[in-house]
């Protein structure tokens, strides 16, 4: 079996928004199929083509290249959002070639109400969720009352399931969370059965389709959402998402043997950002953060919230490498660091005087962690340098930038194969050469 499985997995190594969408779009050119396997429309993946921006929340980023696009069982699917996304691409003359697994869990209107109600109940301890209902939808999967895509396409089953869930959650929302529903059971049924009818043609067993692609020697690309530090177990719990954005999740989120994962790419932003609450050891204070936030346009793709920003964190990336088994790194947003005189990378932490190389397992320890920084001279990567990079490749990159990158590579013992130096497709070097 080994040797002819051509699979590539793209994983966020930090707190999400590393630039996964851009990388997936680049790799999709030479892929036959692109698959999402976890998360929902809490994700926001940006693809820029000739200055034109596409923001995707549910559809795999390969859709822009009109590739076969699959949504695996591990995804929490909001059909209302999916419809909007498909329609807005249609307006841009992009027809989707989409397959959806019948086992996908469906986000229902009460999931949004619960997401918001729980956040409000948590008060200052709120997670800062995207409020898209993703967490409550996964909770229903685990407690086995969830509605699946397979139910959505069958009116009788859908009506039975909506009947139970509607009255159950109306009670919970009104009596526990103090939230009223502004939709009736009949309205939900009508809306979702219409969506079911519309999407029926997309139903496919994604596990079988992906396995068939691989066995035939086709190239399959798996698109992770969120980032390792938001993993439901290994992230900074409870300030995490409700799925597993790590490589192992691709196997259960698609229905694939771990033996079929070949290339595992870490998307690493050249610094760190986080949106939402939770610990962040290398976070910059507000005044320092302003420069990076503006230079990197660090505002959430899904919610528009300002992202918190900080220096690159190696204990975090060491953990990400251990959990995911990266075979290569893709460093993104290198251009954003241009012009900063002194760059820092946290090489380790000190906790109560002890040097720690690995990211701690709990927030009470992370809060005590003081980063030990290594200092690097800043570099310049302005428009004229970027033009040169596009034309000449890696050899013309500022040696100071090479030093910064070389340190990351050496510390993690994983080769950097891709460097991104702008949002557009063309601002990408792979194995030292321009992709354009
Ligand atoms: P994702 O969730 O990992 O797909 O990342 P997002 O799309 O949410 O956020 C990344 C943002 O950075 C988007 O606005 C991208 O267009 C942009 N971007 C990606 N790579 C680069 C890069 O190398 N340089 C710059 N300046 N922007 C980039
Ligand atoms: P992409 O795929 C960045 C964060 C939220 C919040 C926490 C839980 O674009 O990288 P949720 O709505 O999932 O229950 O929120 O996770 N979060 C993300 N942060 N990028 C994302 O996705 C995220 N998806 C969720 O901000 O802190
Ligand atoms: Mg994003």
């Amino acid at each position: 079996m080994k040797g002819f499985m051509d699979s590539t997995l793209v994983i966020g190594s930090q707190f999400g928004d590393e630039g996964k969408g851009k990388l997936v779009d680049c790799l999709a050119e030479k892929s036959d199929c692109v698959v999402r396997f976890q998360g929902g429309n809490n994700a926001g993946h940006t693809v820029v083509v000739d200055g034109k921006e596409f923001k995707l929340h549910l559809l795999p980023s390969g859709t822009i290249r009109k590739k076969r696009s699959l949504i695996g069982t591990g995804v929490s699917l909001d059909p209302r959002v999916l419809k909007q996304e498909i329609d807005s691409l249609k307006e841009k003359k992009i027809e989707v070639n989409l397959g959806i697994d019948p086992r996908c869990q469906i986000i229902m209107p009460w999931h949004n109400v619960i997401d918001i109600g729980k956040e409000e109940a948590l008060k200052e301890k709120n997670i800062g969720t995207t409020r898209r209902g993703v967490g409550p939808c996964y909770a229903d999967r685990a407690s086995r009352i969830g509605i699946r895509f397979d139910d959505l396409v069958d009116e009788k089953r859908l009506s039975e399931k909506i009947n139970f869930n509607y009255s159950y959650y109306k009670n919970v929302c009104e009596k526990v969370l103090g939230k009223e529903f502004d939709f009736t059971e009949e309205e939900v049924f009508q809306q979702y059965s219409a969506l079911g009818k519309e999407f029926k043609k997309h139903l496919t067993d994604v596990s079988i389709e992906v396995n068939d692609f691989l066995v035939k020697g086709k190239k399959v690309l798996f698109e992770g959402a969120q980032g390792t530090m938001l993993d439901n177990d290994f992230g900074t719990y409870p300030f995490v998402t409700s799925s597993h954005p790590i490589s192992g999740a691709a196997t259960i989120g698609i229905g694939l043997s771990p033996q079929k994962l070949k290339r595992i790419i870490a998307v690493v932003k050249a610094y760190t950002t986080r949106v939402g609450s939770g610990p962040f050891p290398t976070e910059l204070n507000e005044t320092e953060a302003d420069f990076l936030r503006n230079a990197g346009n660090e505002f959430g793709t899904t919610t528009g919230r300002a992202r918190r920003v900080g220096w690159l964190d190696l204990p975090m990336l060491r953990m990400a490498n251990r959990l995911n088994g990266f075979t290569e790194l893709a460093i993104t947003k290198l251009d954003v660091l241009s012009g900063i005189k002194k760059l820092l990378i946290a090489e380790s932490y000190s906790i109560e005087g002890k040097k720690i190389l690995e990211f701690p397992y709990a927030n009470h320890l992370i809060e005590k962690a003081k980063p030990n920084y290594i200092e690097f001279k800043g570099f310049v990567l302005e428009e004229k340098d970027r033009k040169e990079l596009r034309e000449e490749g890696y050899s013309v990159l500022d040696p100071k930038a090479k030093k910064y990158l070389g340190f990351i590579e050496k510390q993690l013992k994983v080769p950097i194969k891709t460097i991104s130096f702008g949002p557009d497709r063309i601002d990408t070097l792979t194995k030292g050469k321009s992709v354009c």
Side-chain angles (χ1 to χ4, degrees):
M1 199 161 63
K2 250 182 168 175
F4 64 84
M5 292 298 159
D6 205 340
S7 65
T8 301
L9 183 46
V10 172
I11 292 287
S13 63
Q14 295 151 315
F15 292 110
D17 301 328
E18 296 90 350
K20 298 176 291 295
K22 177 191 160 165
L23 184 69
V24 168
D25 168 67
C26 285
L27 294 166
E29 187 186 10
K30 296 200 173 99
S31 302
D32 296 294
C33 167
V34 186
V35 196
R36 276 277 310 266
F37 57 88
Q38 47 72 229
N41 58 306
N42 47 355
H45 296 179
T46 318
V47 174
V48 184
V49 189
D50 297 331
K52 232 169 58 193
E53 200 174 60
F54 300 88
K55 288 178 191 285
L56 299 167
H57 301 285
L58 266 173
L59 290 167
S61 301
T63 304
I64 308 297
R65 294 209 190 246
K66 303 179 183 165
K67 297 291 170 153
R68 178 69 173 155
S69 299
L70 298 175
I71 297 182
T73 177
V75 171
S76 275
L77 183 84
D78 189 328
R80 300 163 297 178
V81 175
L82 185 64
K83 181 171 167 46
Q84 280 168 11
E85 236 173 70
I86 293 175
D87 288 349
S88 94
L89 286 180
K90 234 181 226 161
E91 277 169 25
K92 292 172 184 154
K93 306 269 174 287
I94 297 177
E95 284 293 332
V96 298
N97 178 3
L98 176 68
I100 307 170
D101 195 282
R103 306 167 187 91
C104 272
Q105 295 283 326
I106 301 295
I107 296 183
M108 302 299 293
W110 41 87
H111 291 138
N112 299 89
V113 181
I114 299 163
D115 203 350
I116 295 166
K118 259 197 191 163
E119 284 286 271
E120 287 174 5
L122 282 166
K123 299 199 174 97
E124 69 284 356
K125 291 203 169 97
N126 72 74
I127 295 159
T129 73
T130 58
R131 303 186 164 210
R132 299 300 190 264
V134 175
C137 178
Y138 279 125
D140 277 1
R141 177 177 73 181
S143 64
R144 290 149 295 169
I145 56 168
I147 298 177
R148 310 213 291 184
F149 185 65
D150 187 44
D151 303 318
L152 196 68
V153 299
D154 181 302
E155 284 198 345
K156 188 165 172 288
R157 270 203 311 273
L158 182 64
S159 134
E160 280 168 15
K161 297 224 167 169
I162 287 183
N163 184 261
F164 171 80
N165 280 276
Y166 186 91
S167 46
Y168 179 81
Y169 279 125
K170 190 167 168 16
N171 250 320
V172 172
C173 288
E174 281 174 5
K175 297 195 178 131
V176 182
L177 299 171
K179 292 263 167 210
E180 300 284 331
F181 279 4
D182 60 2
F183 42 82
T184 65
E185 185 181 328
E186 182 57 21
E187 281 166 357
V188 177
F189 175 75
Q190 291 302 336
Q191 184 182 25
Y192 277 72
S193 61
L195 288 163
K197 281 199 190 90
E198 184 163 350
F199 290 138
K200 196 169 181 174
K201 58 179 179 288
H202 297 296
L203 194 149
T204 184
D205 190 319
V206 169
S207 169
I208 293 178
E209 197 172 327
V210 168
N211 277 280
D212 279 355
F213 264 117
L214 289 170
V215 168
K216 285 180 187 143
K218 302 275 186 198
K219 289 183 195 302
V220 182
L221 185 56
F222 305 123
E223 176 174 357
Q226 289 80 48
T228 301
M229 300 310 301
L230 293 174
D231 184 90
N232 195 244
D233 277 307
F234 291 98
T236 55
Y237 189 92
F239 303 106
V240 292
T241 193
S242 302
S243 68
H244 297 283
I246 57 178
S247 57
T251 66
I252 43 172
I254 293 166
L256 189 73
S257 157
Q259 289 178 321
K260 289 181 180 161
L261 299 180
K262 188 174 146 200
R263 188 176 172 206
I264 305 176
I265 308 181
V267 189
V268 181
K269 199 178 274 192
Y271 47 97
T272 313
T273 63
R274 169 166 211 165
V275 56
S277 325
F280 186 171
T282 63
E283 185 169 18
L284 292 166
N285 68 36
E286 259 320 294
T287 13
E288 289 176 320
D290 266 357
F291 176 82
L292 263 183
R293 183 176 301 119
N294 291 326
N297 190 25
E298 296 296 356
F299 298 89
T301 311
T302 300
T303 58
R305 290 178 289 176
R307 294 177 185 146
R308 300 156 64 191
V309 298
W311 297 117
L312 195 75
D313 187 324
L314 284 173
M316 193 181 281
L317 294 177
R318 278 187 202 104
M319 177 171 100
N321 188 28
R322 172 162 44 85
L323 298 178
N324 290 293
F326 296 134
T327 58
E328 60 184 276
L329 309 178
I331 307 287
T332 61
K333 305 194 92 159
L334 192 64
D335 54 305
V336 175
L337 295 178
S338 171
I340 302 176
K341 287 206 170 60
K342 186 178 81 180
L343 302 171
L344 301 181
I345 295 182
E347 174 264 341
S348 59
Y349 298 149
S350 288
I351 299 184
E352 290 167 348
K354 215 170 139 201
K355 184 172 162 173
I356 308 280
L357 287 173
E358 293 287 340
F359 199 79
Y361 58 81
N363 291 350
H364 59 88
L365 298 171
I366 301 167
E367 273 147 22
K368 290 185 195 154
K370 295 198 173 42
N372 298 316
Y373 287 113
I374 306 281
E375 214 177 289
F376 292 83
K377 283 199 183 108
F379 50 84
V380 178
L381 196 44
E382 287 171 354
E383 183 42 41
K384 70 169 176 27
D385 309 299
R386 290 168 51 202
K387 186 167 178 284
E388 226 186 329
L389 266 182
R390 283 180 213 123
E391 283 161 8
E392 312 281 332
Y394 182 76
S395 62
V396 298
L397 182 67
D398 185 334
K400 295 192 207 86
K402 285 183 178 163
K403 209 166 168 189
Y404 185 84
L405 296 174
F407 181 73
I408 303 168
E409 203 169 40
K410 206 168 152 204
Q411 286 285 319
L412 297 178
K413 300 184 184 72
V414 184
I416 297 173
K417 295 214 174 150
T418 305
I419 299 169
S420 169
F421 52 95
D424 208 286
R425 254 182 205 170
I426 58 170
D427 299 321
T428 321
L429 295 177
T430 297
K431 294 187 192 146
K433 291 196 193 101
S434 177
V435 295
C436 54

